[in-house]
Amino acid sequence: MDGKRMRVCLLAFLMVFAFWGVIPSGSYASAEEPLETSFKIVENIKYLPNEVKNKVQELQWRVTDGHALVHKDGIAYVILSLGIRPTTGYAIEVDSIVRINDTRLLIWANEVKPQPHAVVSPQLTSPVQVLSMPDPFHKIKHVSVWIN
């Protein structure tokens, strides 16, 4: 293969990988930029848009934990769910959110368990936490969540 043809193939190869996100874009230079000031914890789920409420209900009564991303009216909603728990007293506490690039978020959270001698009700509960953050151009596409 001559030199010109080799350069064209290499350029095409690099463009394909850049398109797929394998090669970091220029926005990756600001990786691990904390977003802690730009997200809000939603206190009252009943005032959320219906699409978000429906996703909360879908995740809420799963046996295992889960998460979802819903865009509505320029806001990205991230829903975190612990799944079903045997008693009251469980909660989700968000530890940190890190933006990897324009499209990816990493979220670390902790499962708060009732204290050993706490008074709890023996009823099934399903702790959920909803976060909201501005995303007017729907750039956030992927969310990875770790719950300890």
Side-chain angles (χ1 to χ4, degrees), residues 82-109:
L82 287 179
I84 297 173
R85 295 296 183 258
T87 66
T88 58
Y90 289 86
I92 300 172
E93 182 179 87
V94 175
D95 188 35
S96 65
I97 297 179
V98 176
R99 185 175 215 135
I100 295 300
N101 57 31
D102 283 345
T103 64
R104 294 182 186 274
L105 294 177
L106 298 178
I107 299 175
W108 285 270

PDB file of all heavy atoms in Angstrom, residues 82-109:
ATOM      1  N   LEU A  82     -32.786   0.974  45.603  1.00  0.00           N
ATOM      2  CA  LEU A  82     -32.157  -0.139  46.323  1.00  0.00           C
ATOM      3  C   LEU A  82     -32.876  -1.458  46.084  1.00  0.00           C
ATOM      4  O   LEU A  82     -32.345  -2.515  46.382  1.00  0.00           O
ATOM      5  CB  LEU A  82     -32.148   0.127  47.834  1.00  0.00           C
ATOM      6  CG  LEU A  82     -31.183   1.168  48.346  1.00  0.00           C
ATOM      7  CD1 LEU A  82     -31.324   1.312  49.852  1.00  0.00           C
ATOM      8  CD2 LEU A  82     -29.753   0.812  47.980  1.00  0.00           C
ATOM      9  N   GLY A  83     -34.092  -1.401  45.574  1.00  0.00           N
ATOM     10  CA  GLY A  83     -34.894  -2.612  45.493  1.00  0.00           C
ATOM     11  C   GLY A  83     -35.624  -2.820  46.811  1.00  0.00           C
ATOM     12  O   GLY A  83     -35.605  -1.964  47.695  1.00  0.00           O
ATOM     13  N   ILE A  84     -36.243  -3.949  46.958  1.00  0.00           N
ATOM     14  CA  ILE A  84     -37.072  -4.213  48.142  1.00  0.00           C
ATOM     15  C   ILE A  84     -36.195  -4.499  49.360  1.00  0.00           C
ATOM     16  O   ILE A  84     -35.239  -5.266  49.288  1.00  0.00           O
ATOM     17  CB  ILE A  84     -38.025  -5.394  47.872  1.00  0.00           C
ATOM     18  CG1 ILE A  84     -38.981  -5.025  46.737  1.00  0.00           C
ATOM     19  CG2 ILE A  84     -38.782  -5.784  49.133  1.00  0.00           C
ATOM     20  CD1 ILE A  84     -39.858  -6.163  46.274  1.00  0.00           C
ATOM     21  N   ARG A  85     -36.578  -3.883  50.489  1.00  0.00           N
ATOM     22  CA  ARG A  85     -35.923  -4.111  51.776  1.00  0.00           C
ATOM     23  C   ARG A  85     -36.970  -4.583  52.773  1.00  0.00           C
ATOM     24  O   ARG A  85     -38.148  -4.234  52.661  1.00  0.00           O
ATOM     25  CB  ARG A  85     -35.231  -2.844  52.287  1.00  0.00           C
ATOM     26  CG  ARG A  85     -34.068  -2.372  51.401  1.00  0.00           C
ATOM     27  CD  ARG A  85     -32.977  -3.433  51.411  1.00  0.00           C
ATOM     28  NE  ARG A  85     -31.796  -3.059  50.651  1.00  0.00           N
ATOM     29  CZ  ARG A  85     -31.514  -3.506  49.434  1.00  0.00           C
ATOM     30  NH1 ARG A  85     -32.353  -4.303  48.814  1.00  0.00           N
ATOM     31  NH2 ARG A  85     -30.399  -3.157  48.832  1.00  0.00           N
ATOM     32  N   PRO A  86     -36.582  -5.372  53.798  1.00  0.00           N
ATOM     33  CA  PRO A  86     -37.558  -6.016  54.684  1.00  0.00           C
ATOM     34  C   PRO A  86     -38.179  -5.117  55.745  1.00  0.00           C
ATOM     35  O   PRO A  86     -39.201  -5.474  56.325  1.00  0.00           O
ATOM     36  CB  PRO A  86     -36.744  -7.132  55.342  1.00  0.00           C
ATOM     37  CG  PRO A  86     -35.347  -6.626  55.319  1.00  0.00           C
ATOM     38  CD  PRO A  86     -35.224  -5.819  54.062  1.00  0.00           C
ATOM     39  N   THR A  87     -37.551  -3.975  56.024  1.00  0.00           N
ATOM     40  CA  THR A  87     -38.068  -3.105  57.083  1.00  0.00           C
ATOM     41  C   THR A  87     -37.920  -1.642  56.675  1.00  0.00           C
ATOM     42  O   THR A  87     -37.290  -1.321  55.660  1.00  0.00           O
ATOM     43  CB  THR A  87     -37.287  -3.285  58.406  1.00  0.00           C
ATOM     44  OG1 THR A  87     -35.940  -2.821  58.222  1.00  0.00           O
ATOM     45  CG2 THR A  87     -37.286  -4.722  58.880  1.00  0.00           C
ATOM     46  N   THR A  88     -38.460  -0.772  57.502  1.00  0.00           N
ATOM     47  CA  THR A  88     -38.213   0.656  57.323  1.00  0.00           C
ATOM     48  C   THR A  88     -36.789   0.959  57.790  1.00  0.00           C
ATOM     49  O   THR A  88     -36.131   0.101  58.382  1.00  0.00           O
ATOM     50  CB  THR A  88     -39.218   1.490  58.145  1.00  0.00           C
ATOM     51  OG1 THR A  88     -39.089   1.121  59.526  1.00  0.00           O
ATOM     52  CG2 THR A  88     -40.636   1.267  57.673  1.00  0.00           C
ATOM     53  N   GLY A  89     -36.313   2.162  57.551  1.00  0.00           N
ATOM     54  CA  GLY A  89     -35.002   2.572  58.035  1.00  0.00           C
ATOM     55  C   GLY A  89     -33.894   2.533  57.007  1.00  0.00           C
ATOM     56  O   GLY A  89     -32.764   2.923  57.291  1.00  0.00           O
ATOM     57  N   TYR A  90     -34.166   2.093  55.779  1.00  0.00           N
ATOM     58  CA  TYR A  90     -33.167   2.064  54.722  1.00  0.00           C
ATOM     59  C   TYR A  90     -33.269   3.332  53.889  1.00  0.00           C
ATOM     60  O   TYR A  90     -34.355   3.901  53.724  1.00  0.00           O
ATOM     61  CB  TYR A  90     -33.370   0.852  53.807  1.00  0.00           C
ATOM     62  CG  TYR A  90     -33.015  -0.461  54.440  1.00  0.00           C
ATOM     63  CD1 TYR A  90     -33.942  -1.152  55.213  1.00  0.00           C
ATOM     64  CD2 TYR A  90     -31.753  -1.003  54.286  1.00  0.00           C
ATOM     65  CE1 TYR A  90     -33.619  -2.361  55.800  1.00  0.00           C
ATOM     66  CE2 TYR A  90     -31.425  -2.221  54.871  1.00  0.00           C
ATOM     67  CZ  TYR A  90     -32.360  -2.884  55.624  1.00  0.00           C
ATOM     68  OH  TYR A  90     -32.036  -4.075  56.212  1.00  0.00           O
ATOM     69  N   ALA A  91     -32.130   3.767  53.331  1.00  0.00           N
ATOM     70  CA  ALA A  91     -32.114   4.958  52.480  1.00  0.00           C
ATOM     71  C   ALA A  91     -30.904   4.899  51.546  1.00  0.00           C
ATOM     72  O   ALA A  91     -30.005   4.067  51.738  1.00  0.00           O
ATOM     73  CB  ALA A  91     -32.049   6.221  53.332  1.00  0.00           C
ATOM     74  N   ILE A  92     -30.889   5.771  50.567  1.00  0.00           N
ATOM     75  CA  ILE A  92     -29.756   5.919  49.652  1.00  0.00           C
ATOM     76  C   ILE A  92     -29.137   7.279  49.923  1.00  0.00           C
ATOM     77  O   ILE A  92     -29.840   8.296  49.961  1.00  0.00           O
ATOM     78  CB  ILE A  92     -30.198   5.848  48.177  1.00  0.00           C
ATOM     79  CG1 ILE A  92     -30.867   4.514  47.875  1.00  0.00           C
ATOM     80  CG2 ILE A  92     -29.005   6.087  47.254  1.00  0.00           C
ATOM     81  CD1 ILE A  92     -31.489   4.444  46.496  1.00  0.00           C
ATOM     82  N   GLU A  93     -27.811   7.286  50.081  1.00  0.00           N
ATOM     83  CA  GLU A  93     -27.082   8.532  50.288  1.00  0.00           C
ATOM     84  C   GLU A  93     -26.061   8.674  49.164  1.00  0.00           C
ATOM     85  O   GLU A  93     -25.168   7.834  49.029  1.00  0.00           O
ATOM     86  CB  GLU A  93     -26.376   8.485  51.640  1.00  0.00           C
ATOM     87  CG  GLU A  93     -25.632   9.733  51.999  1.00  0.00           C
ATOM     88  CD  GLU A  93     -24.990   9.584  53.355  1.00  0.00           C
ATOM     89  OE1 GLU A  93     -23.854   9.067  53.424  1.00  0.00           O
ATOM     90  OE2 GLU A  93     -25.638   9.951  54.351  1.00  0.00           O
ATOM     91  N   VAL A  94     -26.198   9.725  48.346  1.00  0.00           N
ATOM     92  CA  VAL A  94     -25.274   9.943  47.238  1.00  0.00           C
ATOM     93  C   VAL A  94     -23.966  10.481  47.798  1.00  0.00           C
ATOM     94  O   VAL A  94     -23.949  11.458  48.548  1.00  0.00           O
ATOM     95  CB  VAL A  94     -25.876  10.920  46.206  1.00  0.00           C
ATOM     96  CG1 VAL A  94     -24.860  11.240  45.123  1.00  0.00           C
ATOM     97  CG2 VAL A  94     -27.133  10.326  45.601  1.00  0.00           C
ATOM     98  N   ASP A  95     -22.881   9.813  47.429  1.00  0.00           N
ATOM     99  CA  ASP A  95     -21.557  10.211  47.897  1.00  0.00           C
ATOM    100  C   ASP A  95     -20.914  11.194  46.936  1.00  0.00           C
ATOM    101  O   ASP A  95     -20.450  12.249  47.338  1.00  0.00           O
ATOM    102  CB  ASP A  95     -20.693   8.963  48.064  1.00  0.00           C
ATOM    103  CG  ASP A  95     -19.374   9.249  48.729  1.00  0.00           C
ATOM    104  OD1 ASP A  95     -19.347  10.122  49.616  1.00  0.00           O
ATOM    105  OD2 ASP A  95     -18.374   8.601  48.367  1.00  0.00           O
ATOM    106  N   SER A  96     -20.873  10.853  45.637  1.00  0.00           N
ATOM    107  CA  SER A  96     -20.285  11.772  44.660  1.00  0.00           C
ATOM    108  C   SER A  96     -20.774  11.450  43.256  1.00  0.00           C
ATOM    109  O   SER A  96     -21.203  10.333  42.966  1.00  0.00           O
ATOM    110  CB  SER A  96     -18.759  11.721  44.709  1.00  0.00           C
ATOM    111  OG  SER A  96     -18.296  10.457  44.313  1.00  0.00           O
ATOM    112  N   ILE A  97     -20.680  12.475  42.421  1.00  0.00           N
ATOM    113  CA  ILE A  97     -20.992  12.349  40.997  1.00  0.00           C
ATOM    114  C   ILE A  97     -19.798  12.904  40.246  1.00  0.00           C
ATOM    115  O   ILE A  97     -19.327  14.000  40.551  1.00  0.00           O
ATOM    116  CB  ILE A  97     -22.256  13.133  40.610  1.00  0.00           C
ATOM    117  CG1 ILE A  97     -23.470  12.568  41.327  1.00  0.00           C
ATOM    118  CG2 ILE A  97     -22.468  13.096  39.100  1.00  0.00           C
ATOM    119  CD1 ILE A  97     -24.751  13.295  41.020  1.00  0.00           C
ATOM    120  N   VAL A  98     -19.310  12.135  39.277  1.00  0.00           N
ATOM    121  CA  VAL A  98     -18.166  12.563  38.478  1.00  0.00           C
ATOM    122  C   VAL A  98     -18.560  12.506  37.012  1.00  0.00           C
ATOM    123  O   VAL A  98     -19.136  11.516  36.556  1.00  0.00           O
ATOM    124  CB  VAL A  98     -16.940  11.651  38.734  1.00  0.00           C
ATOM    125  CG1 VAL A  98     -15.781  12.037  37.835  1.00  0.00           C
ATOM    126  CG2 VAL A  98     -16.529  11.718  40.192  1.00  0.00           C
ATOM    127  N   ARG A  99     -18.254  13.569  36.310  1.00  0.00           N
ATOM    128  CA  ARG A  99     -18.506  13.605  34.870  1.00  0.00           C
ATOM    129  C   ARG A  99     -17.254  13.114  34.159  1.00  0.00           C
ATOM    130  O   ARG A  99     -16.178  13.651  34.356  1.00  0.00           O
ATOM    131  CB  ARG A  99     -18.845  15.015  34.436  1.00  0.00           C
ATOM    132  CG  ARG A  99     -19.222  15.079  32.988  1.00  0.00           C
ATOM    133  CD  ARG A  99     -19.676  16.478  32.594  1.00  0.00           C
ATOM    134  NE  ARG A  99     -20.725  16.308  31.614  1.00  0.00           N
ATOM    135  CZ  ARG A  99     -21.857  16.951  31.607  1.00  0.00           C
ATOM    136  NH1 ARG A  99     -22.117  17.826  32.536  1.00  0.00           N
ATOM    137  NH2 ARG A  99     -22.751  16.720  30.682  1.00  0.00           N
ATOM    138  N   ILE A 100     -17.407  12.066  33.344  1.00  0.00           N
ATOM    139  CA  ILE A 100     -16.279  11.520  32.600  1.00  0.00           C
ATOM    140  C   ILE A 100     -16.064  12.307  31.316  1.00  0.00           C
ATOM    141  O   ILE A 100     -14.960  12.638  30.957  1.00  0.00           O
ATOM    142  CB  ILE A 100     -16.508  10.023  32.287  1.00  0.00           C
ATOM    143  CG1 ILE A 100     -16.536   9.234  33.576  1.00  0.00           C
ATOM    144  CG2 ILE A 100     -15.447   9.489  31.346  1.00  0.00           C
ATOM    145  CD1 ILE A 100     -15.275   9.319  34.394  1.00  0.00           C
ATOM    146  N   ASN A 101     -17.136  12.586  30.602  1.00  0.00           N
ATOM    147  CA  ASN A 101     -17.106  13.452  29.418  1.00  0.00           C
ATOM    148  C   ASN A 101     -18.511  14.011  29.251  1.00  0.00           C
ATOM    149  O   ASN A 101     -19.311  13.934  30.184  1.00  0.00           O
ATOM    150  CB  ASN A 101     -16.596  12.697  28.178  1.00  0.00           C
ATOM    151  CG  ASN A 101     -17.404  11.464  27.863  1.00  0.00           C
ATOM    152  OD1 ASN A 101     -18.594  11.402  28.126  1.00  0.00           O
ATOM    153  ND2 ASN A 101     -16.754  10.458  27.310  1.00  0.00           N
ATOM    154  N   ASP A 102     -18.827  14.587  28.111  1.00  0.00           N
ATOM    155  CA  ASP A 102     -20.143  15.205  27.925  1.00  0.00           C
ATOM    156  C   ASP A 102     -21.301  14.230  28.079  1.00  0.00           C
ATOM    157  O   ASP A 102     -22.408  14.632  28.397  1.00  0.00           O
ATOM    158  CB  ASP A 102     -20.233  15.851  26.539  1.00  0.00           C
ATOM    159  CG  ASP A 102     -19.496  17.164  26.468  1.00  0.00           C
ATOM    160  OD1 ASP A 102     -19.156  17.718  27.532  1.00  0.00           O
ATOM    161  OD2 ASP A 102     -19.253  17.638  25.347  1.00  0.00           O
ATOM    162  N   THR A 103     -21.042  12.948  27.858  1.00  0.00           N
ATOM    163  CA  THR A 103     -22.147  11.992  27.807  1.00  0.00           C
ATOM    164  C   THR A 103     -22.193  11.010  28.972  1.00  0.00           C
ATOM    165  O   THR A 103     -23.148  10.266  29.092  1.00  0.00           O
ATOM    166  CB  THR A 103     -22.089  11.178  26.502  1.00  0.00           C
ATOM    167  OG1 THR A 103     -20.894  10.396  26.488  1.00  0.00           O
ATOM    168  CG2 THR A 103     -22.152  12.076  25.285  1.00  0.00           C
ATOM    169  N   ARG A 104     -21.179  10.978  29.820  1.00  0.00           N
ATOM    170  CA  ARG A 104     -21.096   9.930  30.845  1.00  0.00           C
ATOM    171  C   ARG A 104     -20.961  10.490  32.256  1.00  0.00           C
ATOM    172  O   ARG A 104     -20.178  11.397  32.497  1.00  0.00           O
ATOM    173  CB  ARG A 104     -19.909   9.017  30.588  1.00  0.00           C
ATOM    174  CG  ARG A 104     -20.049   8.229  29.323  1.00  0.00           C
ATOM    175  CD  ARG A 104     -18.849   7.303  29.132  1.00  0.00           C
ATOM    176  NE  ARG A 104     -18.915   6.651  27.843  1.00  0.00           N
ATOM    177  CZ  ARG A 104     -19.574   5.529  27.598  1.00  0.00           C
ATOM    178  NH1 ARG A 104     -20.220   4.925  28.549  1.00  0.00           N
ATOM    179  NH2 ARG A 104     -19.586   5.007  26.397  1.00  0.00           N
ATOM    180  N   LEU A 105     -21.728   9.873  33.169  1.00  0.00           N
ATOM    181  CA  LEU A 105     -21.645  10.201  34.594  1.00  0.00           C
ATOM    182  C   LEU A 105     -21.340   8.931  35.380  1.00  0.00           C
ATOM    183  O   LEU A 105     -21.819   7.857  35.043  1.00  0.00           O
ATOM    184  CB  LEU A 105     -22.981  10.745  35.112  1.00  0.00           C
ATOM    185  CG  LEU A 105     -23.492  12.061  34.592  1.00  0.00           C
ATOM    186  CD1 LEU A 105     -24.861  12.334  35.197  1.00  0.00           C
ATOM    187  CD2 LEU A 105     -22.536  13.175  34.917  1.00  0.00           C
ATOM    188  N   LEU A 106     -20.553   9.091  36.433  1.00  0.00           N
ATOM    189  CA  LEU A 106     -20.333   8.026  37.403  1.00  0.00           C
ATOM    190  C   LEU A 106     -20.907   8.508  38.723  1.00  0.00           C
ATOM    191  O   LEU A 106     -20.637   9.622  39.149  1.00  0.00           O
ATOM    192  CB  LEU A 106     -18.845   7.741  37.589  1.00  0.00           C
ATOM    193  CG  LEU A 106     -18.070   7.250  36.379  1.00  0.00           C
ATOM    194  CD1 LEU A 106     -16.598   7.084  36.757  1.00  0.00           C
ATOM    195  CD2 LEU A 106     -18.625   5.938  35.874  1.00  0.00           C
ATOM    196  N   ILE A 107     -21.697   7.653  39.354  1.00  0.00           N
ATOM    197  CA  ILE A 107     -22.316   8.022  40.631  1.00  0.00           C
ATOM    198  C   ILE A 107     -21.953   6.959  41.659  1.00  0.00           C
ATOM    199  O   ILE A 107     -22.113   5.764  41.408  1.00  0.00           O
ATOM    200  CB  ILE A 107     -23.850   8.121  40.501  1.00  0.00           C
ATOM    201  CG1 ILE A 107     -24.215   9.207  39.490  1.00  0.00           C
ATOM    202  CG2 ILE A 107     -24.486   8.391  41.860  1.00  0.00           C
ATOM    203  CD1 ILE A 107     -25.687   9.312  39.200  1.00  0.00           C
ATOM    204  N   TRP A 108     -21.466   7.421  42.816  1.00  0.00           N
ATOM    205  CA  TRP A 108     -21.208   6.548  43.944  1.00  0.00           C
ATOM    206  C   TRP A 108     -22.205   6.895  45.030  1.00  0.00           C
ATOM    207  O   TRP A 108     -22.399   8.058  45.362  1.00  0.00           O
ATOM    208  CB  TRP A 108     -19.790   6.734  44.484  1.00  0.00           C
ATOM    209  CG  TRP A 108     -18.744   6.125  43.619  1.00  0.00           C
ATOM    210  CD1 TRP A 108     -18.265   4.848  43.699  1.00  0.00           C
ATOM    211  CD2 TRP A 108     -18.048   6.744  42.541  1.00  0.00           C
ATOM    212  NE1 TRP A 108     -17.311   4.646  42.734  1.00  0.00           N
ATOM    213  CE2 TRP A 108     -17.151   5.795  42.008  1.00  0.00           C
ATOM    214  CE3 TRP A 108     -18.089   8.011  41.957  1.00  0.00           C
ATOM    215  CZ2 TRP A 108     -16.317   6.071  40.942  1.00  0.00           C
ATOM    216  CZ3 TRP A 108     -17.259   8.290  40.896  1.00  0.00           C
ATOM    217  CH2 TRP A 108     -16.383   7.318  40.405  1.00  0.00           C
ATOM    218  N   ALA A 109     -22.828   5.867  45.586  1.00  0.00           N
ATOM    219  CA  ALA A 109     -23.817   6.079  46.641  1.00  0.00           C
ATOM    220  C   ALA A 109     -23.645   5.000  47.700  1.00  0.00           C
ATOM    221  O   ALA A 109     -22.982   3.980  47.474  1.00  0.00           O
ATOM    222  CB  ALA A 109     -25.227   6.041  46.064  1.00  0.00           C
TER     223      ALA A 109
END
